[in-house]
Amino acid sequence: MAEAANLHAAAPERARTGGEGSELSRAKVRSALLFLAPMVVVLFLVAGWPLIRTIWFSFTDASLSDIGNYGFVGVDNFYNSEWGGLLSDANWWTAVWNTLYFTFVSVSLETVLGMIVALALNVKFPGRGWVRAAILIPWAIPTIVSAKMWGWMLHDQFGMLNDLGMTLGLLAEPVAWTASPDTAMLAVIIVDVWKTTPFMALLILAGLQMLPSDCYEAARVDGVHPVRVFFKVTLPLVYPAVMVAVIFRALDSLRIFDLIYVLTSNSQDTMTMSVYARQQLVDFQDVGYGSAASTMLFLIIAALTLATITIGKVKLGGDPR
Amino acid sequence: MSHWSLPSKLGFVVLLAAIAIFAVFPFYYAIVSSTKAPSELFDVTYLPGFDFTNYAAVFREQPFARNIFNSVFVAVVVVVLSLGLGVTAAFALGRVHFRGRGALLLTVLSVSMFPQVAVLSGMFELIRALGVYNSLTGLILANLILTLPFTVWVLTTFMRELPKELEEAAYVDGATPLIVVRKVFLPIMGPALATTGLLAFIAAWNEFLFALTFTLSNEMRTVPVAIALITGASQYELPWGNIMAASVIVTVPLIVLVLIFQRKIVSGLTAGAVKG
C-alpha cells in the first residue's frame, strides 16, 4: 500500500489501476481526482500561470502602461553589451547583498532569542499562559502596523527611543534611525526580530514539549550542570524542529517586502530584491526588467529550497498513510 | 522551578518580565500615542490620555470605514473559498491512494514558498485581462495564492491522522465519497477548519503587496494599504496620531481573536511547519 512519494505527474489512467483494484477503490480514486480538480485549477490560475507569464515577460520589453504590447528581446534584460542588464546593475547586487545580510542577521537573532523564549516558556511557572499570550501579540499585529508603530517609536525628532536613550544617557544626540545609512538596516532588523521571534519561539517550544522528560530527570539526578544539559541533550534532540523553523523563516525573509517598503521606503540602504523588483515593475513601469528581477529572486529561492531539501534531508510531502 | 535557588528564581522573573515588556510595549505605546490630543503628541509620555480626536479624524479624513469593510469582505471570501477548495482536496490527498499524490503535495507546498513579487507582473496581466483591476474581486483572486496552499497542506495533515476505520463503515453502507466528506469528515473537522480559517483570515487581512499594486482609488484600498498611505500636509508632517489610531483600530480585533484561539493557533502553526 505505502507508496513512496513519487515525483511523476498525476496520471489519471494509471491512477485507476492503483489501490486495491476493487470497484470501491476505483470509485474512490475517480472521485478523489474530481475533488482535486477545482483546487488544482484555481492554484494553476493564481500561481502557475502568473509565474509562467512573469518568466515570459522577463524576455520582453513590456511596460506597465500597455502590458499587451511588447516585443521579444531575448536575454537583454538579464545581460546585454549595450546597457548591461540586470546582472551588471550595481543596484541589483546591492539589493541581493541587503537581502542576504538581512536574512542572515535577522534569522540568526530570531533563532537565538526564540530559543531563549522557548526554554523560558517550557518551564512550568504561575502565569505562563499570560506570557505566552503576550508574545503572541507581535505575531498578531499586521506587518504594516508594526512598521508604522516602530516608525513612530524610532522617529528622529519625536520618537520615544531617542527620548529614552538621551534621558538614560545612552545617546548623545537624536539618531535618525530609519533614514541614516548606518542605522536603517539595523532598524529594519530590530522590527523584524520583534515581529517574528514569537513564531520561532512557538515552533521551538512545540519541539521542546515533544522531548522525553526521562533524559532530564537522569541528568538532574546525576547533577549535570543545566548549561551542559542544554548543549548535550536538549539542543541535539530539538535540532530538527529548530532547523525546520529556521528554513521557513529564512525563505520568508528572502522575499521580505512590506516592512522595508513602509519603514524605509525605497531607500538604497535597505532595498531588498522584492523591493527592487517592484520598484522597476510599478514605479518605473518597466515590466520586462522588473520581471527579470522577479525571476532571479524566484530562481534564487527555488535553488535554496531544493538545496535545503536535498542536503538537510528535511522530509517534505512524505507519503500519507 | 520549585527546586531553584532564590537568585535563579529572581533572574528568571526578570527574564520573563523583559520578554513580556519587549513583546507588548510597542503596541501599548501606540495606544498611548493614539489617545493623546494632537497638540501633546510630540511630548514623550507613557500614560494614555482620554482624547479621541485622532480616532474621529481617521474616519473623517479618509474612507476608513470603507477600507475596513473591504478588508473584512476580501478576507472572509478568501477564507470561505480556501476552506471549500481545501477540504475536498485534503480529502483526496489525505484519504485516497493514487499515483502522483506526493508530487502534488510537494507542488502545493512549493507554491507557498513563492515570493509574491515573482507572480506580480503575471498576476497584473491576468487581473487586467479579467477586468478586475481596482476591484475587490481582483484582490480575492490574488490572495488565494497566499491562503490556498497552506489550507490544503494543514487540512491534509489533519485528515490523514484520523483513524482509517472512520469512513469504512460508511462505504460499506454504500455511501459515495461526497457523502463521506459531508457526513463523516465535516462534522469532526470543526476545530481544524476554525484554525486554518483563522490563519487564512489573518494572512488575507495583513496582505499588502497585491492590495497596493492592484488597487488605485482610496475606496478600493484595504486597511494595510490605507494605513501605509496616510499622509499629511507634506511628506514631513505625517499625522502620527491618526496613524496610531488607525493601527489600534485594526489590531485590537485581531489580538482578541488570537488570544481567544491561542491554543488552536499554536497547534495550527506547528502542523503547518513542524510536521511538514
Side-chain angles (χ1 to χ4, degrees), chain B residues 7-39:
Chain B
S8 333
K9 270 186 188 171
L10 273 178
F12 189 64
V13 169
V14 171
L15 174 69
L16 290 176
I19 293 171
I21 291 172
F22 186 60
V24 176
F25 180 79
F27 186 59
Y28 171 76
Y29 191 70
I31 297 177
V32 169
S33 305
S34 71
T35 53
K36 281 185 187 174
S39 55

Side-chain angles (χ1 to χ4, degrees), chain B residues 257-268:
Chain B
L257 273 179
V258 167
L259 293 187
I260 293 174
F261 292 101
Q262 56 165 307
R263 276 175 196 285
K264 290 197 191 310
I265 286 176
V266 172
S267 62

Side-chain angles (χ1 to χ4, degrees), chain A:
Chain A
M1 272 307 273
E3 52 180 21
N6 76 70
L7 295 174
H8 302 289
E13 306 81 26
R14 276 186 290 161
R16 283 170 184 237
T17 58
E20 288 123 5
S22 70
E23 184 55 41
L24 175 64
S25 69
R26 274 202 298 275
K28 272 167 77 177
V29 170
R30 263 200 307 277
S31 52
L33 297 176
L34 207 64
F35 281 180
L36 276 172
M39 187 277 286
V40 172
V41 169
V42 171
L43 207 57
F44 178 76
L45 184 71
V46 299
W49 177 248
L51 180 68
I52 292 169
R53 291 301 291 175
T54 300
I55 295 173
W56 167 250
F57 278 133
S58 70
F59 298 108
T60 70
D61 58 3
S63 98
L64 198 69
S65 50
D66 187 11
I67 203 167
N69 191 9
Y70 54 82
F72 185 76
V73 296
V75 294
D76 277 12
N77 287 322
F78 295 95
Y79 186 77
N80 64 66
S81 49
E82 209 176 313
W83 49 274
L86 189 67
L87 294 180
S88 53
D89 181 346
N91 289 346
W92 163 252
W93 290 111
T94 309
V96 173
W97 166 250
N98 282 344
T99 312
L100 296 178
Y101 177 81
F102 165 80
T103 301
F104 180 76
V105 176
S106 62
V107 175
S108 306
L109 283 173
E110 284 155 27
T111 311
V112 174
L113 294 176
M115 179 63 91
I116 293 172
V117 175
L119 287 171
L121 285 179
N122 199 32
V123 178
K124 283 196 176 64
F125 60 88
R128 179 159 69 154
W130 288 99
V131 180
R132 200 179 64 169
I135 66 157
L136 267 172
I137 288 179
W139 178 81
I141 293 178
T143 311
I144 301 310
V145 172
S146 318
K148 283 294 182 190
M149 277 171 19
W150 279 91
W152 172 232
M153 286 167 59
L154 296 167
H155 196 276
D156 51 352
Q157 284 170 281
F158 313 114
M160 60 80 45
L161 226 68
N162 278 338
D163 185 74
L164 188 70
M166 287 172 63
T167 311
L168 296 179
L170 297 172
L171 297 176
E173 54 187 18
V175 179
W177 294 97
T178 57
S180 148
D182 306 325
T183 54
M185 188 53 103
L186 179 71
V188 170
I189 289 172
I190 290 174
V191 183
D192 193 70
V193 166
W194 175 78
K195 171 111 185 78
T196 44
T197 298
F199 175 81
M200 203 65 133
L202 291 174
L203 289 190
I204 297 175
L205 181 62
L208 285 176
Q209 289 177 338
M210 283 192 281
L211 301 187
S213 57
D214 41 1
C215 326
Y216 292 103
E217 288 304 317
R220 196 161 67 83
V221 171
D222 292 348
V224 183
H225 192 271
V227 174
R228 211 175 135 78
V229 174
F230 173 75
F231 283 106
K232 293 284 171 189
V233 183
T234 315
L235 198 56
L237 284 174
V238 84
Y239 181 75
V242 176
M243 276 323 286
V244 172
V246 166
I247 292 167
F248 267 70
R249 277 300 310 141
L251 292 175
D252 212 30
S253 298
L254 287 171
R255 51 191 176 180
I256 184 169
F257 173 79
D258 309 16
L259 174 61
I260 289 176
Y261 183 83
V262 174
L263 197 64
T264 57
S265 53
N266 284 331
S267 150
Q268 196 65 54
D269 309 309
T270 54
M271 182 173 283
T272 57
M273 290 188 267
S274 285
V275 178
Y276 177 91
R278 186 189 180 275
Q279 189 186 37
Q280 299 293 336
L281 250 164
V282 180
D283 299 350
F284 304 156
Q285 307 263 309
D286 195 342
V287 171
Y289 192 69
S291 296
S294 305
T295 304
M296 284 298 287
L297 171 61
F298 174 76
L299 289 178
I300 290 171
I301 289 186
L304 288 174
T305 312
L306 281 178
T308 37
I309 292 176
T310 357
I311 300 166
K313 295 193 193 108
V314 179
K315 200 160 165 276
L316 295 170
D319 185 48
R321 261 184 297 176

Side-chain angles (χ1 to χ4, degrees), chain B residues 216-229:
Chain B
L216 201 59
S217 58
N218 279 340
E219 282 69 29
M220 284 300 157
R221 281 177 189 151
T222 56
V223 161
V225 183
I227 291 180
L229 299 183

Side-chain angles (χ1 to χ4, degrees), chain B residues 158-225:
Chain B
F158 179 82
M159 281 246 190
R160 72 188 189 204
E161 290 192 348
L162 298 172
K164 211 178 167 189
E165 296 72 33
L166 202 64
E167 74 258 46
E168 277 174 357
Y171 281 129
V172 172
D173 290 345
T176 65
L178 190 62
I179 294 180
V180 170
V181 172
R182 267 182 39 213
K183 303 274 178 182
V184 180
F185 285 101
L186 269 189
I188 53 167
M189 290 190 71
L193 291 176
T195 311
T196 6
L198 188 64
L199 292 175
F201 184 90
I202 292 174
W205 180 267
N206 294 352
E207 199 286 320
F208 180 67
L209 178 55
F210 291 151
L212 178 72
T213 311
F214 303 144
T215 60
L216 201 59
S217 58
N218 279 340
E219 282 69 29
M220 284 300 157
R221 281 177 189 151
T222 56
V223 161
V225 183

